[in-house]
Amino acid sequence: AEFDFFQYGQVVGEALKDHIVGGSDQCLTLVQNGTIALANYINSNNSFSGLPQSLQPCTSNVLDSTLDLSTYYSSIFGNFQGVVQYNLEGSSPTVAQLCETITNQTEPLAALAAATALFEDNISACVQSSFQDDYIDAYLSNTSFSAPDCNLDCSSDRQWIYQSCNSFGFFQTTTSAGVQTPFSAFDIVNVTTAGIAVCAAAFGDNTYSGPHRAGDDSSLASNEKFGARYFLTANVTFVNGNLDPWHSLSIVNASDPFYEAGGAQQVTSPSVDIVEINGTAHCRDMYAPNAFQAIGINDTTPVIWAHARISENIK
């Protein structure tokens, strides 16, 4: 568990430059320079006037509210988050498609605008930017349970955020001291605006300051209770895609750039098997073999290897 989950943005950057999934250094550079250009423009002009239509906020007076401006930047960041987390798992665009759109442009701000336009329809060609209307009211205020037969339409946003507020954090920020991501220019998206303010508004607790901490205040209580990366249980397989942003907080190979990221030491028993799937995203191993073949996405060699390894481990 981690209150300030800044590593998420780092992995997004890794995916945007990964040739295996259609990324490139040019794609990453254009995105990073585009976010810098956007933030500099808004800060210098104190206005969105003159920006491309796809980068216009959907609501007025965004600059009058820190939370609205954070929501605006979070919406742009969120587009890239979704692409990377669910890459090649049936949703569109993929990282390759996104980077193709980006690298068709030569100017960074135009590249960011073109990428953002992929997520907007002709009716609402703008960026969601109201903290209250577009986030709290739209996703977190409804206290009713979804119907029993809701299937894939079930709503769990409020439950997830409640768990995050109380136990795990996982608030995906764009900035942390000494850490560079493609979205670091959006430095207003921090644990205060993306975490504390969300929890306070969603659950009416204006005294909220973060997830529960251990008795000695040295760590989050959930890390103390569940052991963080200290995992000595036998015969467990840890599976991660190395381009899944969530793998950065998991138990991974020592060669992984995010090994022990966040400072929690990794200790496992000899029978723990770590399976990292190269070039894959979130929970890819949990889909059946050839699950996406009908839409033209074949299982990669690493996915086939992972399925075989997991099957062998559970025999």
Side-chain angles (χ1 to χ4, degrees):
E2 185 173 76
F3 188 20
D4 182 357
F5 187 11
F6 60 87
Q7 295 94 338
Y8 195 112
Q10 287 182 285
V11 182
V12 171
E14 292 294 317
L16 292 177
K17 70 177 182 180
D18 195 309
H19 295 267
I20 293 177
V21 293
S24 64
D25 290 338
Q26 182 188 11
C27 180
L28 173 62
T29 299
L30 281 167
V31 172
Q32 182 164 316
N33 290 342
T35 59
I36 292 171
L38 176 62
N40 285 344
Y41 183 95
I42 294 171
N43 293 337
S44 298
N45 295 280
N46 198 37
S47 170
F48 296 91
S49 178
L51 288 173
Q53 178 57 47
S54 64
L55 294 176
Q56 293 293 324
C58 294
T59 52
S60 59
N61 303 319
V62 172
L63 295 174
D64 294 338
S65 166
T66 298
L67 293 179
D68 285 351
L69 184 57
S70 174
T71 301
Y72 169 83
Y73 284 134
S74 293
S75 296
I76 296 173
F77 177 36
N79 293 332
F80 290 86
Q81 289 176 281
V83 170
V84 170
Q85 180 165 319
Y86 299 109
N87 186 50
L88 295 175
E89 294 182 0
S91 59
S92 184
T94 63
V95 169
Q97 292 166 339
L98 180 63
C99 280
E100 181 180 13
T101 296
I102 290 167
T103 56
N104 279 339
Q105 305 291 326
T106 57
E107 197 275 319
L109 191 58
L112 183 64
T116 303
L118 291 174
F119 304 92
E120 300 169 349
D121 56 42
N122 292 328
I123 298 175
S124 58
C126 56
V127 178
Q128 291 189 332
S129 51
S130 171
F131 175 76
Q132 188 65 43
D133 296 340
D134 295 331
Y135 189 19
I136 301 302
D137 291 346
Y139 296 102
L140 303 179
S141 293
N142 187 356
T143 59
S144 300
F145 285 107
S146 299
D149 60 348
C150 60
N151 297 319
L152 295 179
D153 293 324
C154 296
S155 174
S156 59
D157 296 286
R158 184 175 172 86
Q159 293 94 316
W160 170 257
I161 293 299
Y162 182 84
Q163 179 178 248
S164 296
C165 295
N166 278 278
S167 301
F168 302 133
F170 296 150
F171 295 110
Q172 295 143 34
T173 63
T174 58
T175 183
S176 185
V179 174
Q180 186 69 33
T181 81
F183 306 93
S184 293
F186 298 168
D187 57 2
I188 198 172
V189 184
N190 51 45
V191 289
T192 299
T193 58
I196 292 173
V198 172
C199 296
F203 302 105
D205 182 4
N206 292 326
T207 66
Y208 178 82
S209 60
H212 295 300
R213 299 193 64 80
D216 62 0
D217 200 37
S218 62
S219 66
L220 295 183
S222 55
N223 283 336
E224 182 181 71
K225 181 176 182 179
F226 299 113
R229 292 193 181 98
Y230 193 87
F231 200 87
L232 295 180
T233 300
N235 300 322
V236 172
T237 301
F238 275 94
V239 187
N240 289 281
N242 69 347
L243 293 183
D244 175 11
W246 293 95
H247 98 280
S248 61
L249 297 184
S250 186
I251 290 175
V252 297
N253 292 323
S255 60
D256 190 286
F258 295 94
Y259 178 75
E260 296 186 344
Q265 184 180 10
Q266 180 172 306
V267 180
T268 61
S269 61
S271 64
V272 166
D273 190 22
I274 298 172
V275 176
E276 281 202 51
I277 316 175
N278 193 32
T280 59
H282 192 61
C283 297
R284 183 62 181 84
D285 60 293
M286 299 181 71
Y287 292 95
N290 301 312
F292 304 109
Q293 193 173 57
I295 57 173
I297 300 174
N298 295 320
D299 287 351
T300 63
T301 298
V303 169
I304 294 170
W305 166 80
H307 279 157
R309 183 72 169 264
I310 295 164
S311 296
E312 182 65 28
N313 287 349
I314 63 176
K315 284 182 178 178

